[in-house]
Structures are given as C-alpha cells and as structure tokens.
Amino acid sequence: MLYHVPLVKREHGKTSQYDSTSARQPLQLIMERTTDQYDPTSTADFSKHYTIEYNLKVHKIGRIEPNDMRLLSHYASESLSKSLDGNNAVDSPDSPA
C-alpha cells in the first residue's frame, strides 16, 4: 500500500532532509513549538481514518505548509476513494486519470 507519505519539517523557510526513497511526494510540516521532537522518519498514514470526538484531548504538533494543502487534499481523497473500491494504489496528483 502506498498510503504512507513522508512528513518533512519546515523551519525558517528551509525543509529538513527526508528519506527520498518514498514513492510519495512529502508534505511539509510547520512545527507549532520548537520544544516538540521531530523524527525524520515521520509519515502520514492515509490508510487509517479517524472520527474526531468533541471530548477527546489532542496535542497539536503542527500544521501542513499552505502550499501543500492541494497535495494533502489529493492524498486524502485518493485514500478514501481507493478504500471504497478496494484498490490499494494511490496515484500522484499530476498523473493522468
């Protein structure tokens, strides 16, 4: 399955190094606090879908770079549509349909 997408840390206008062997284009993560630890092997797993609950406490670690929102939306919609039709492949946003 190609649902794992690298998350790379963006800080002071620069993007950190990441494992470029991934088949997916990475999403840039802007950390909220400098005290939070970042692991260069971090990925977003689009194969797991979670329901947000109003009474569940969460820890905010950061946000996706605004320029990557189109790519994030693409990965999420592809993941949902592929899980519904049983196909595990996720295409790139620039590949032909």
Side-chain angles (χ1 to χ4, degrees):
M1 271 189 230
L2 297 176
Y3 288 122
H4 290 268
V5 176
L7 290 174
V8 295
K9 183 178 176 183
R10 180 143 178 98
E11 190 172 50
H12 306 296
K14 297 180 182 179
T15 303
S16 63
Q17 297 293 323
Y18 68 96
D19 179 12
S20 61
T21 60
S22 171
R24 312 303 297 147
Q25 183 176 342
L27 294 170
Q28 297 178 67
L29 177 65
I30 301 170
M31 301 292 288
E32 292 294 320
R33 296 184 300 219
T34 57
T35 56
D36 286 337
Q37 295 295 315
Y38 166 77
D39 183 346
T41 62
S42 297
T43 61
D45 183 359
F46 287 91
S47 67
K48 295 181 180 181
H49 304 181
Y50 296 97
T51 301
I52 305 298
E53 299 179 26
Y54 76 95
N55 61 347
L56 182 66
K57 291 184 179 183
V58 296
H59 176 77
K60 186 174 185 178
I61 59 167
R63 63 187 187 280
I64 298 298
E65 167 71 36
N67 293 334
D68 285 350
M69 292 306 290
R70 179 177 171 266
L71 188 58
L72 173 67
S73 178
H74 170 76
Y75 288 153
S77 64
E78 282 291 314
S79 167
L80 288 170
S81 67
K82 298 298 181 186
S83 66
L84 292 175
D85 69 12
N87 185 348
N88 289 334
V90 178
D91 301 323
S92 109
D94 300 323
S95 63

